[in-house]
């Protein structure tokens, strides 16, 4: 009944407030993905919630996958966050990660992906890989020129282990909510994450490539 | 139609082969929990698969929760695995964990619990907590008498971080199957886990309890 009205109004206001629409779409996307999981979310449902047309979303974001990635907080300024002294990269990763998760963990797309991938949604697992690869590329861009030879040798593995550590923390603190991680003050979590990421990335005893039989 | 037959036969053979029935029940439990998740699994379905009566299961295991915990590989010999030199506890944890997961990750109850808890099954999250607490108690029994004061102060946190790290590895390698962790040789995974668990448990810079404002 309101179909025609809904399909015209956003187009008219888009020219006046494109940033407002973009923000509304991203917020509706985060909530819908969080509530329904990745696979069951449709662009149509997001459009309805954001009060815009389906066409406006596809023009701005092309696909559900791209909209999802755009809705991940921190993705847009990932390079800015990680830029700086390689030695303190773990501090910056831990700080940005905890700050972001504490802001709105319930609707955080990383939580959505972990939940969806755990329910065997292959699309979610692929997206998780895509997100991890984006982070990994950003970490590598800071570390590679400065990495000691021994570390460069298995940098990809170390970056992947950072990713899996952060997924474990997300799971324990925000999904299963196991103590003492669930109630730990954010500052203390940041301290622990920093020291652990530092060891995962930098300790000087990489695993042998060809372990003895 | 075979109800009466089924309900009598196991009782007769139980006296002859109680160990055989116990093993059949545990194997049926692992497969059923893995296929249906924790919440949707019933003791009746496990009984049917194991070819025993519902009553035999409740006599032997009391409840679904206890049967689940009994079906977790390694739970029964946890104390034996962790016993020994505290300094090499991370080596023993990592080795036993990788060996167990490599044996049958698809049907491993830890994978089931992570999947179920991610789908918001509170019962699964509670069980995961129970499993982590069992492991934590075993680790503490080895570490506590020898822990330096600084470490003893936040031993619970460190043990919880070990648990969340292992959940992250389970998730990345066996559920989402992200590379390079998914295809890493077990020996190399054991090496990485050992070094990371060692740092999580032992490094000598515990996070401050009252971080500066």
């Amino acid at each position: 009944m309101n179909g025609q009205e809904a399909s015209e109004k956003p187009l008219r206001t888009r020219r006046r407030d494109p940033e407002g629409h973009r923000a509304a779409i991203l917020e509706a996307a985060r909530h819908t993905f969080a509530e329904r999981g990745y696979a069951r979310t449709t662009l149509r449902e997001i459009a309805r919630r954001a009060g815009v047309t389906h066409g406006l979303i596809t023009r701005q974001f092309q696909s559900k996958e791209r909209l999802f990635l755009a809705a991940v907080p921190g993705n847009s300024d990932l390079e800015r966050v990680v830029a700086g002294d390689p030695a303190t990269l773990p501090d910056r990763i831990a700080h940005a990660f905890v700050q972001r998760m504490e802001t709105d963990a319930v609707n955080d797309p990383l939580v959505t992906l972990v939940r969806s991938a755990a329910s065997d949604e292959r699309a979610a697992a692929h997206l998780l890989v895509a997100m991890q690869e984006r982070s990994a590329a950003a970490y590598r861009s800071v570390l590679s020129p400065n990495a000691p030879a021994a570390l460069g040798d298995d940098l990809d593995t170390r970056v992947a282990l950072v990713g899996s550590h952060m997924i474990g923390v997300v799971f324990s603190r925000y999904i299963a909510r196991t103590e003492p991680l669930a109630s730990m003050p954010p500052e203390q979590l940041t301290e622990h994450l920093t020291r652990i990421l530092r060891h995962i990335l930098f300790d000087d005893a990489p695993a042998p490539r060809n372990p003895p039989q």
Side-chain angles (χ1 to χ4, degrees), chain A:
Chain A
M1 45 194 187
N2 288 324
Q4 201 179 1
E5 194 190 338
S7 69
E8 281 176 10
K9 195 176 151 209
L11 284 173
R12 278 203 306 273
T13 51
R14 183 169 66 101
R15 298 200 180 90
R16 277 184 243 139
D17 183 17
E19 279 312 306
H21 273 150
R22 191 182 158 84
I25 293 168
L26 291 174
E27 200 194 331
R30 277 192 286 271
H31 285 271
T32 315
F33 283 126
E35 282 173 29
R36 305 182 56 81
Y38 181 75
R40 284 194 305 278
T41 292
T42 61
L43 293 186
R44 203 158 295 282
E45 164 78 2
I46 294 171
R48 194 189 59 71
R49 282 195 173 203
V52 304
T53 59
H54 183 270
L56 176 61
I57 294 188
T58 52
R59 273 196 299 283
Q60 285 211 353
F61 296 97
Q62 284 83 51
S63 66
K64 183 164 91 165
E65 179 173 331
R66 289 199 182 189
L67 172 57
F68 185 93
L69 291 174
V72 178
N75 249 5
S76 54
D77 59 353
L78 182 64
E79 281 76 15
R80 191 185 54 73
V81 165
V82 301
D85 181 359
T88 52
L89 177 64
D91 309 56
R92 293 194 297 282
I93 296 173
H95 188 82
F97 175 75
V98 172
Q99 191 172 47
R100 161 189 153 186
M101 295 305 298
E102 292 300 307
T103 306
D104 188 11
V106 173
N107 293 305
D108 195 282
L110 182 56
V111 172
T112 301
L113 277 195
V114 171
R115 285 188 190 280
S116 299
S119 306
D120 258 337
E121 292 182 12
R122 293 318 295 170
H126 287 308
L127 263 178
L128 196 62
V129 172
M131 272 181 64
Q132 288 202 320
E133 281 173 356
R134 270 208 77 201
S135 302
Y139 301 167
R140 272 196 301 268
S141 72
V142 175
L143 293 174
S144 287
N146 306 277
L151 197 155
D153 201 36
D154 64 352
L155 188 54
D156 287 352
T157 299
R158 287 166 182 263
V159 165
L161 287 164
V162 164
S164 84
H165 186 75
M166 279 155 60
I167 285 174
V169 169
V170 163
F171 188 88
S172 300
R173 182 173 170 93
Y174 303 107
I175 297 178
R177 300 195 190 92
T178 57
E179 295 297 348
L181 288 186
S183 320
M184 184 181 285
E187 301 77 13
Q188 200 185 346
L189 181 65
T190 306
E191 294 268 351
H192 277 293
L193 256 186
T194 302
R195 79 175 171 90
I196 294 169
L197 298 192
R198 198 179 292 147
H199 285 303
I200 293 178
L201 282 175
F202 296 139
D203 82 6
D204 51 7
R209 283 271 162 185
N210 298 301
Q213 296 303 308

